[in-house]
Amino acid sequence: MKRVIWVAIIAAPLLGLLAFGLRQNPDAVASPLLGKPAPAFAARTLDGQRISLSHLRGTPVVLNFWASWCAACRTEHPYLLRAWRQYGGQVRFLGVLFEDSAASAEDTMRQLGGGWSTMRDPDQSIAIGYGVAGPPETFFIDRHGVVRRKVVGPLTAAGLRLGIRTILEDR
Amino acid sequence: MMRRWLGWIAIGWMLVLSIATVAIYGTATSPPTLESRTRALAAQFRCPICHGESVADSESGIARSIRSLIHRRLAQGESSEQIKRYLVSRYGTVIVLAPPMSGIGSLAWIAPPLLLLAGLGLLATLFAAWRRQDALPRGRRAEYVERVRVELTPEVGRDGPDGREVPV
């Protein structure tokens, strides 16, 4: 009887720890940027324009890190396209190229459609500034320049709508 | 006697040599270079896209970019702690390879020594129990020694391996 009690005392915390670990989603890492001012950036787009976050103050921004070689980016593209057509007047859509060449990215945009700009990030300073591990990752920045949502992985229609509604709300 | 002295002399020589090596090479090492500082700091961070690989060891594009960032910031005079704070502010504590000393991460620091102590305690308890089981009750030792002595003494008229009587 005494032995059973000892085994239970040792096993209970270990089982508790195991249960806690199994219930965690290893991919669901909350960004430390949520609720904080979006990291500043200034970069050139594929067509040579200069864009900086400070010039976009007052406009909600959907910042999407993507690459032409990324299959999940192609999956989410139709949702982005639809949202851009619907909300493009109220929200600024911006892509950030992740480990890709400008030529491939331009080709892909021509194939898939979409009139939003994509910024080059050759030293990945924007990606590191936003804590991006790999594409696709999307940040929803409100008109005050605060990061309100982050989506890791391909966007869904519902996820995109929720993000846009969040940044369109005025707090 | 001589052999014992030789052993002590050998140990003495080894100590002198070790101290001399540390004195000569330990203090004469050149200060760390920017490259070695970059590598040492990069080794403390997890490659965000790899599994169990540090930024120093990974050849992924993002790891290379983080290495360049560390190199650039160190060259600009930022301290390791400042760079660490910057990366944690962007990626969260998950970017740091060593678990945090607070919260659930502290378990990774506390659990191993505690488990080691618990294991040593368990072993000590088991050894003590085995010794108690094997120990002879008081007063039976003389009886036991006598029995061993009798059993080890060749018996008169005992049969040998070939069945014939063994001569005493």
Side-chain angles (χ1 to χ4, degrees), chain B residues 136 141-153:
Chain B
L136 284 169
R141 180 158 180 82
E143 185 191 326
Y144 174 74
V145 170
E146 177 56 21
R147 196 172 151 195
V148 170
R149 196 186 62 77
V150 167
E151 286 190 6
L152 289 177
T153 309

Side-chain angles (χ1 to χ4, degrees), chain A residues 37-55:
Chain A
F41 57 76
R44 285 206 184 279
T45 58
L46 295 177
D47 54 8
Q49 289 177 48
R50 193 156 179 84
I51 292 187
S52 68
L53 185 65
S54 55
H55 287 130

Side-chain angles (χ1 to χ4, degrees), chain A residues 14 17 20 29-33 36 39-40 98-99 122-125 127-135 150, chain B residues 48-49 51 60-69 72 86-94 104 107 115 122:
Chain A
L14 290 175
L17 203 63
F20 174 79
V29 179
S31 170
L33 294 173
K36 302 224 172 94
F98 188 95
E99 291 179 23
D123 62 355
Q124 294 194 292
S125 57
I128 297 171
Y130 278 80
V132 173
K150 174 188 177 183
Chain B
I49 206 162
H51 287 283
S60 71
I62 192 77
R64 277 202 301 269
S65 296
I66 294 175
R67 282 203 296 272
S68 303
L69 176 134
R72 197 168 57 245
Y86 170 75
L87 286 172
V88 168
S89 75
R90 302 310 159 103
Y91 284 94
T93 49
V94 75
I104 190 103
L107 267 179
L115 286 174
L122 188 69

Side-chain angles (χ1 to χ4, degrees), chain B residues 18-167:
Chain B
S18 310
I19 292 165
T21 310
V22 170
I24 294 165
Y25 296 104
T27 54
T29 48
S30 51
T33 60
L34 184 57
E35 273 62 36
S36 66
R37 285 173 66 208
T38 302
R39 190 173 162 79
L41 190 54
Q44 293 179 31
F45 300 111
R46 188 191 308 278
C47 160
I49 206 162
C50 331
H51 287 283
E53 231 181 337
S54 77
V55 164
D57 295 330
S58 168
E59 275 312 309
S60 71
I62 192 77
R64 277 202 301 269
S65 296
I66 294 175
R67 282 203 296 272
S68 303
L69 176 134
I70 292 171
H71 188 273
R72 197 168 57 245
R73 288 189 170 222
L74 282 175
Q76 285 166 356
E78 277 191 40
S79 69
S80 300
E81 200 47 46
Q82 281 173 309
I83 296 169
K84 187 173 175 179
R85 268 204 300 272
Y86 170 75
L87 286 172
V88 168
S89 75
R90 302 310 159 103
Y91 284 94
T93 49
V94 75
I95 191 85
V96 183
L97 271 172
M101 298 286 266
S102 57
I104 190 103
S106 60
L107 267 179
W109 293 97
I110 299 165
L114 280 183
L115 286 174
L116 184 71
L117 279 177
L120 287 174
L122 188 69
L123 272 179
T125 315
L126 284 174
F127 281 137
W130 289 339
R131 281 188 69 175
R132 270 198 306 277
Q133 267 178 11
D134 291 345
L136 284 169
R138 277 186 183 185
R140 287 196 58 199
R141 180 158 180 82
E143 185 191 326
Y144 174 74
V145 170
E146 177 56 21
R147 196 172 151 195
V148 170
R149 196 186 62 77
V150 167
E151 286 190 6
L152 289 177
T153 309
E155 281 177 38
V156 178
R158 198 177 184 173
D159 285 345
D162 54 357
R164 283 185 297 179
E165 204 175 276
V166 176

